[in-house]
């Protein structure tokens, strides 16, 4: 059982609940987040059934959820959530295009990529300043200098920024620049990092671990939610299978399955799953057709010079087609693309 406290709940309200639970023979775990306090109860639910916890002062919600993930489960929250990132909605009813370079390399490259993204209908800019690379010899990202470039490009283009954080120690710094923090596939079960982003007041995009089941992915999201941050966007980015023809195997089924199990929005990264630009458009169509709430793609003005993931970056010509996908597909599903797509593209 999980108790969600309202924003005005006091320390005394929380203490009163902990006391009542203790008296009933249960154990309460209190997690104080920036925006709300969550109390988890361990023990037999029937044991607490007679307590009027919902009637106690400061309580916003009492969830008797049987799924192992409680706060992100749809059991107690049947309507699907919309998460706002710098004012841009991600959720049912819309398809949000997020685009930008895999890595922030230079101010010019980032600005050019952002302008390409915007022209294709993107309403959010992606770009990594901290890159979790397989090889320690590969470009690791510009760090804070990269975050400053992203903030400057946001200023110039008006596009809110999504960027990855790889270390719990950097969460506050990255959050001071970003509009949404990204947790990458390699850190998808780094529980200390998940708890750290759970403690900030900014949305989090949680990629699925490349070897995580959907349940493990939702449990990872629960780590963030349990710290009081429910502004989470799930991102399917392909899983490890026996297939070697693609970088990873996009699990299209994960979109409807995760949406049925969780109220959180689910988006798809066709760039990191396919690993090649030729696959990005077909996989984007598949993602939107399957009901994804958004798509996040890599773009680069000069992919042959890219310091990271050049082969999968879309170029100018591909963006016309991507814009077409965003124009044609969402209305077929009764949705709109956020921001719409300029007629000139
Ligand atoms: C990325 O989006 O830049 C990235 C590294 O993705 P993933 O964690 O899915 O590999
Ligand atoms: Mn990449």
């Amino acid at each position: 059982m999980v108790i969600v406290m309202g924003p005005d709940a006091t320390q005394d309200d929380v203490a009163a609940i902990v006391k009542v639970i203790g008296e009933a023979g249960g154990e309460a775990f209190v997690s104080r987040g920036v925006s709300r306090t969550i109390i988890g109860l361990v023990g037999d639910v029937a044991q607490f059934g007679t307590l009027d916890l919902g009637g106690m002062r400061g309580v916003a919600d009492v969830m008797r959820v049987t799924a192992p993930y409680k706060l992100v489960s749809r059991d107690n929250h049947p309507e699907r959530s919309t998460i706002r990132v710098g004012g841009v909605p991600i959720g049912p009813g819309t398809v949000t295009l997020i685009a930008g370079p895999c890595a922030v390399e230079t101010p010019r490259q980032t600005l050019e990529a952002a302008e390409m993204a915007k022209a294709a209908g993107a309403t959010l800019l992606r770009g990594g300043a901290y890159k979790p690379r397989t090889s320690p010899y590969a470009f690791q990202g510009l760090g804070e200098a990269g975050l400053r470039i992203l903030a400057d490009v946001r200023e110039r283009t008006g596009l809110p920024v999504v960027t990855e954080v790889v270390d719990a120690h950097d969460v506050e710094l990255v959050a001071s620049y970003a509009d949404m923090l990204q947790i990458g596939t390699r850190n998808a079960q780094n529980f200390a990092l998940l708890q750290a982003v759970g403690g900030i007041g900014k949305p989090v995009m949680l990629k699925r671990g490349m070897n995580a089941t959907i349940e493990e992915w939702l449990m990872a999201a629960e780590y963030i939610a349990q710290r009081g941050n429910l502004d989470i966007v799930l991102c399917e980015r392909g899983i490890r299978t026996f297939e070697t023809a693609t970088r990873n195997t996009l699990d299209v089924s994960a979109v409807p399955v995760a949406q049925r199990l969780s109220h959180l929005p689910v988006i798809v990264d066709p760039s990191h799953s396919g690993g090649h630009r030729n696959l990005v458009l077909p996989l984007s169509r598949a993602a939107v057709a399957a009901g994804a709430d958004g798509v996040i793609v890599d773009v680069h003005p000069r992919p042959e010079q890219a310091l990271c993931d050049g082969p999968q970056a879309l170029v100018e010509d591909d963006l016309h087609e991507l814009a077409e996908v965003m124009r044609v597909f969402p209305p077929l599903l009764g949705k709109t693309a956020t921001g719409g797509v300029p007629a000139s593209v």
Side-chain angles (χ1 to χ4, degrees):
M1 192 186 292
V2 173
I3 299 168
V4 182
M5 302 302 288
D8 303 325
T10 64
Q11 303 260 36
D12 285 351
D13 296 340
V14 173
I17 291 165
V18 171
K19 184 158 175 278
V20 166
I21 292 165
E23 284 167 0
E27 208 179 334
F29 293 90
V30 179
S31 173
R32 286 193 176 82
V34 179
S35 38
R36 66 202 109 202
T37 295
I38 311 278
I39 306 175
L41 272 71
V42 175
D44 183 4
V45 172
Q47 190 182 347
F48 311 117
T50 52
L51 301 177
D52 180 21
L53 294 168
M56 291 187 69
R57 217 175 50 195
V59 174
D61 205 356
V62 178
M63 300 179 171
R64 290 179 175 79
V65 181
T66 47
Y69 38 85
K70 308 203 180 291
L71 297 162
V72 307
S73 165
R74 212 168 158 180
D75 283 4
N76 211 57
H77 194 300
E79 347 51 78
R80 300 192 51 235
S81 296
T82 294
I83 308 299
R84 292 194 170 269
V85 181
V88 175
I90 306 180
T94 49
V95 181
T96 306
L97 179 61
I98 308 172
C102 177
V104 175
E105 298 165 8
T106 66
R108 175 169 163 238
Q109 165 257 8
T110 308
L111 181 60
E112 286 177 358
E115 281 166 348
M116 289 165 69
K118 194 171 175 176
T123 47
L124 296 171
L125 172 66
R126 63 147 291 147
Y130 295 86
K131 297 304 302 176
R133 303 304 298 278
T134 302
S135 165
Y137 304 113
F139 176 59
Q140 303 286 312
L142 297 179
E144 189 172 1
L147 296 175
R148 281 197 291 268
I149 293 172
L150 285 168
D152 181 56
V153 171
R154 170 177 52 206
E155 242 349 82
R156 289 161 184 259
T157 59
L159 295 175
V161 165
V162 183
T163 194
E164 180 161 354
V165 59
V166 297
D167 187 321
H169 296 108
D170 294 329
V171 165
E172 275 194 30
L173 175 74
V174 177
S176 71
Y177 289 93
D179 297 285
M180 176 157 73
L181 276 74
Q182 173 175 332
I183 300 291
T185 194
R186 292 161 189 79
N187 269 314
Q189 286 185 305
N190 177 339
F191 301 120
L193 181 60
L194 297 173
Q195 288 174 327
V197 297
I200 53 145
K202 285 269 167 85
V204 176
M205 182 183 87
L206 174 64
K207 292 224 177 165
R208 176 179 180 184
M210 65 180 92
N211 54 7
T213 63
I214 292 174
E215 180 166 308
E216 287 165 340
W217 184 23
L218 298 178
M219 291 305 286
E222 188 76 10
Y223 263 91
I224 302 171
Q226 193 262 346
R227 287 288 164 121
N229 187 354
L230 281 164
D231 290 335
I232 306 165
V233 174
L234 300 169
C235 179
E236 160 62 39
R237 51 77 69 205
I239 51 175
R240 269 265 159 104
T241 68
F242 55 82
E243 183 55 73
T244 54
T246 50
R247 183 175 176 172
N248 288 113
T249 301
L250 178 65
D251 182 6
V252 181
S253 323
V255 174
V257 172
Q259 287 175 340
R260 181 170 50 76
L261 296 174
S262 171
H263 58 87
L264 299 175
V266 181
I267 67 169
V268 166
D269 182 340
S271 303
H272 287 82
S273 33
H276 196 279
R277 76 175 54 86
N278 293 341
L279 293 168
V280 175
L281 286 163
L283 295 182
S284 299
R285 290 188 198 102
V288 179
D293 302 305
V295 173
I296 178 166
V297 297
D298 286 6
V299 302
H300 199 291
R302 289 166 293 279
E304 64 292 349
Q305 292 172 20
L307 298 178
C308 185
D309 287 348
Q312 70 194 31
L314 296 180
V315 295
E316 203 65 56
D317 284 351
D318 307 310
L319 291 175
H320 294 263
E321 278 188 66
L322 181 64
E324 193 62 8
V325 174
M326 294 300 289
R327 192 180 66 76
V328 172
F329 275 60
L332 292 176
L333 298 152
K335 302 183 185 187
T336 51
T338 62
V341 178
S344 59
V345 176

